Structures are given as structure tokens and as C-alpha cells.
Amino acid sequence: MTADLFDALRSPGPAREPLAPGAMLLRGFARPDEAELIAAIETIIQRAPFRRMITPGGHQMSVAMTNCGPFGWVTDRSGYRYDAVDPESGARWPAMPPLFRELADKAATEAGFAGFAPDACLINRYEPGAKMSLHQDRDERDIGAPIVSVSLGLPATFLFGGLKRTDKTQRHRLVHGDVVVWGGPARLAFHGVAPLAEGEHALLGRRRINLTFRRAR
Ligand SMILES: O=C(O)CCC(=O)C(=O)O
Ligand SMILES: [Mn+2]
């Protein structure tokens, strides 16, 4: 028996579902922290409320967004960028709670990317009907770091493709507490979220909230 297999039998750990080389779905990984995560999100959105941003093409996104941490991802008519300041308030984004950082690092480590130190956390709010089209996360200066994506609230269908937009996409149902990590050979994989179905979540109501952790600078 190999040491790895022995370890796996002794401490099964979270349910892991490999999606592709470099990409891993950690089922229920954020569940133990759900109450603290939701409380922290409520505090953040008091200072930096959700808003539906405008794409460079002039379309309003269906997903409402805000950020915490040193840098926040924003889009407007001039393009996509990371900004240390919330353009709505002119103030710095709320600090990233230590729990967020720790959870992101733990999940990255679990997926094989130890030492992840996110400096940006984009917070996405989906209401029924909201979606995110297939895209790559490529506004970060250093793509050596992975992406860690935490799902809370209503379930969603996550689309995960390859390095070309036209590559076939897999569909994965993500539920409250699931975490997806992609990096290394999967770092620039196309991904998106199908239109959110109607529903009511016990803790978050008619919403899905996604935390996307990145190393932006
Ligand atoms: O909501 C999700 O699960 C994915 C979000 C995402 O891909 C992004 O914010 O770039
Ligand atoms: Mn993305």
C-alpha cells in the first residue's frame, strides 16, 4: 500500500472531485465556517454595497458585485482592472477578514497549491436569472497563483471548460459550502455560471453568494 493511499484511508478529509489537471472541487469545504462567513459578508456590504457594474461593451452585468481586501476587481466603460479604491465611495475596500484568507489558503493547499496569499476577494451576488458568461480570469498580474471560489446559498450550475473558449465544458452543480480551486495547467481555463434557478436558501434566501479569491498583484 502506498503512503498516499494509507493517508487517504486514515484521514479521508473533505470529498475531493478532480475536475481537470490543476482543478479540484472540494465538497462542503466551507460549511464549518458558514455562519462566520455570512456575518462577515453582511459587514462588508454595509460599507461597500453590492452593485451591478457595466462592462467595457456597455452592458450591465446581471451579477451584483463588491470586494474586500487590498485590491478589488472592477469594470466600467474603460475596461476591467484591479483598484485599491471602491469607485462608488472613493474609499479603500473593506479589509479581508482573516477567516477568508485562512479558508482560501486551506482550500488551495488541499488542492495542491500551498502558500496561497490572496490580495483580492471579489464577492458575487446572484439572484434567480443572474449568470456569468464563459470567461477566463486573466486580469491578475501573476497567474502562478490559483483561483479559489467559494459557493454559498442557492445551488448553481458551474461551467468548466478548457483553455480555448470553444473547448467542451463540463457542468457541475455547486451547492452551499462547496469550494472550487483551479491553478497550474488549469489556471486560464474558461468557466462560467448558468442562469440561477429560483429557490430559497435557509441561510441566504433568494441568493447565491460566491467569493472568488485571487492574487491580483
Ligand atoms: O460565481 C462563480 O462561481 C464564478 C465567479 C467567477 O468566475 C468570477 O467572479 O470570475
Ligand atoms: Mn471567473
Side-chain angles (χ1 to χ4, degrees), residues 145-213:
I147 302 289
V148 173
S149 176
V150 177
S151 291
L152 297 169
L154 288 177
T157 300
F158 184 61
L159 312 172
F160 195 78
L163 300 180
K164 294 198 303 276
R165 184 178 291 279
T166 50
D167 287 345
K168 193 173 166 0
T169 54
Q170 317 167 21
R171 297 166 74 87
H172 298 277
R173 182 178 158 89
L174 298 183
V175 303
H176 180 74
D178 289 349
V179 177
V180 185
V181 181
W182 62 99
R187 177 60 180 75
L188 291 178
F190 278 88
H191 59 281
V193 176
L196 200 78
E198 262 305 342
E200 183 78 25
H201 185 266
L203 299 177
L204 282 170
R206 232 172 130 259
R207 296 181 288 176
R208 170 176 185 261
I209 290 183
N210 165 263
L211 307 174
T212 292
F213 293 94

Side-chain angles (χ1 to χ4, degrees), residues 135 137 182 191 214:
H135 67 280
D137 290 355
W182 62 99
H191 59 281
R214 289 123 177 220

Side-chain angles (χ1 to χ4, degrees), residues 44-139:
I44 290 164
I45 63 177
Q46 280 166 27
R47 280 194 36 216
F50 284 118
R51 78 292 307 264
R52 289 173 57 203
M53 299 187 206
I54 306 292
T55 66
H59 298 286
Q60 187 174 41
M61 298 187 77
S62 60
V63 178
M65 300 176 167
T66 187
N67 292 276
C68 67
F71 300 104
W73 185 88
V74 293
T75 172
D76 59 22
R77 290 305 298 239
S78 68
Y80 306 130
R81 65 182 180 280
Y82 281 96
D83 203 322
V85 161
D86 177 352
E88 295 286 314
S89 66
R92 289 189 165 274
W93 297 104
M96 194 184 302
L99 168 71
F100 281 31
R101 223 182 284 278
E102 287 157 20
L103 175 65
D105 180 37
K106 259 196 310 179
T109 300
E110 195 66 41
F113 303 100
F116 179 46
D119 60 5
C121 174
L122 171 64
I123 308 176
N124 293 311
R125 185 197 68 198
Y126 298 74
E127 289 175 341
K131 67 176 171 63
M132 196 174 287
S133 308
L134 218 53
H135 67 280
Q136 296 167 296
D137 290 355
R138 56 181 310 159
D139 301 320

